[in-house]
Amino acid sequence: MIYSRLVRAWFAIFALIAGFSVLALTFTLTFSAPPSAPPDSASTSGPPHRPQRPALNPELFAAHYRAVAAFKADSIPQDYLAVGSARGYVYVLKKKSFGFVNSWNSFYLGAPIKKIAAEDIDGNGAVDLVVMTSAGKMFVFDTGSRQLVWENTSNDFESVSEFLIDQLDPDRARELILCADSRLLVMDGEKLQREYQSADEFKAEYMVICDVDDDDEKEIVLDSGFVINAKTLNIEWQTDFFGTRLTLLDVDNDGVPELICESTGGALKIYDLDIRREKTVF
């Protein structure tokens, strides 16, 4: 009798210790602050740094890192991932033979990261990270210097809900196309200044850009149902709400991409934008 009680007590204590260990590990992974110094810069004579757990744990990664962009950098191109956390930090992970390690990270950006794009927006040969937070702030980081080079102020706009990067004119810099303060804005990627904006007001959480009607001019497609000329920002046509998670793909091989999106109920919808109607798939 005494022996069985001791066994049960031992297993109870073991379960309690194991439970606290799991809780402590979860707390550490979820709420620990970013490293104060990039692990790659540390000087050690021991084995190489192992990948940080957020890059290896799929469930934790999906829960806390919503925005991801892949890019190549360095004189000898290396693979990198820029990931934005729900805690408001951007982490740049460098690929190693055994996985990814944290190369460097941003300061606190004030809100969860909603979107990251990795593009050379100023045409200087170095990749820039364009970051948007859920609070509507934008930041641009130079991956060469690892420095912040721009963030929006109230003189630029108050809040942005979506952005695209594309080439709209012949110069070396690309353009930032924003839905900000209920307008479409086009900003020069080198000067990071507004070039022009729409006269009409728009709302958008998702946008895509392409020549969607085979007229040799690019259009901006908004989830809210608008098709906009990218050069003039004038409305070419409009309909009801398209859907979310917009993407473009030439599904019927006619040389013109179709709009693929998700309806409010979760069903897939496809639009022939050149003939301005929803496409029958089945």
Side-chain angles (χ1 to χ4, degrees), residues 61-277:
F61 190 90
H64 296 281
Y65 298 87
R66 302 295 179 87
V68 180
F71 64 97
K72 290 183 179 291
D74 301 338
S75 55
I76 300 176
Q78 302 289 321
D79 291 320
Y80 287 87
L81 281 179
V83 295
S85 77
R87 296 174 52 248
Y89 296 88
V90 172
Y91 297 86
V92 177
L93 309 178
K94 186 175 182 179
K95 186 178 181 181
K96 297 289 188 179
S97 59
F98 47 77
F100 285 86
V101 296
N102 188 24
S103 179
W104 58 278
N105 54 265
S106 73
F107 53 87
Y108 176 56
L109 300 183
I113 308 304
K114 183 178 180 181
K115 182 175 180 177
I116 299 176
E119 299 269 0
D120 178 12
I121 63 171
D122 54 8
N124 69 351
V127 174
D128 304 292
L129 297 182
V130 183
V131 181
M132 179 178 69
T133 73
S134 61
K137 284 280 290 181
M138 284 194 72
F139 303 84
V140 177
F141 292 89
D142 184 293
T143 62
S145 64
R146 304 183 178 184
Q147 297 297 313
L148 175 71
V149 296
W150 179 81
E151 65 178 294
N152 72 285
T153 67
S154 58
N155 291 330
D156 301 308
F157 50 83
E158 292 288 345
S159 180
V160 59
S161 61
E162 170 65 316
F163 74 89
L164 299 170
I165 301 172
D166 207 281
Q167 191 77 50
L168 298 182
D169 55 36
D171 65 12
R172 69 173 188 170
R174 297 168 71 81
E175 277 68 49
L176 297 176
I177 305 157
L178 320 175
C179 186
D181 297 344
S182 300
R183 305 278 180 180
L184 289 181
L185 313 178
V186 174
M187 298 182 64
D188 179 81
E190 182 176 17
K191 299 176 183 178
L192 293 169
Q193 295 177 352
R194 185 181 311 191
E195 293 186 333
Y196 52 99
Q197 71 177 46
S198 65
D200 298 295
E201 293 190 354
F202 300 100
K203 297 288 187 182
E205 292 295 325
Y206 297 90
M207 301 191 301
V208 289
I209 184 170
C210 190
D211 178 6
V212 298
D213 54 12
D214 201 25
D215 63 353
D216 295 324
E217 292 188 349
K218 291 181 179 179
E219 285 81 30
I220 305 166
V221 183
L222 280 59
D223 59 350
S224 50
F226 291 91
V227 178
I228 312 295
N229 183 285
K231 282 289 184 67
T232 64
L233 299 185
N234 292 329
I235 300 172
E236 292 193 359
W237 65 280
Q238 67 183 89
T239 185
D240 295 331
F241 179 74
F242 282 127
T244 62
R245 306 179 189 276
L246 308 185
T247 190
L248 295 166
L249 181 67
D250 184 8
V251 298
D252 53 11
N253 290 321
D254 65 351
V256 181
E258 281 73 40
L259 176 69
I260 304 174
C261 54
E262 180 182 326
S263 69
T264 304
L268 187 70
K269 296 196 296 184
I270 301 179
Y271 288 88
D272 261 321
L273 297 179
D274 53 337
I275 57 177
R276 303 186 179 185
R277 70 183 185 190

Side-chain angles (χ1 to χ4, degrees), residues 43-56:
S43 175
T44 63
S45 57
H49 294 285
R50 290 301 184 228
Q52 304 231 345
R53 189 172 293 270
L56 291 178

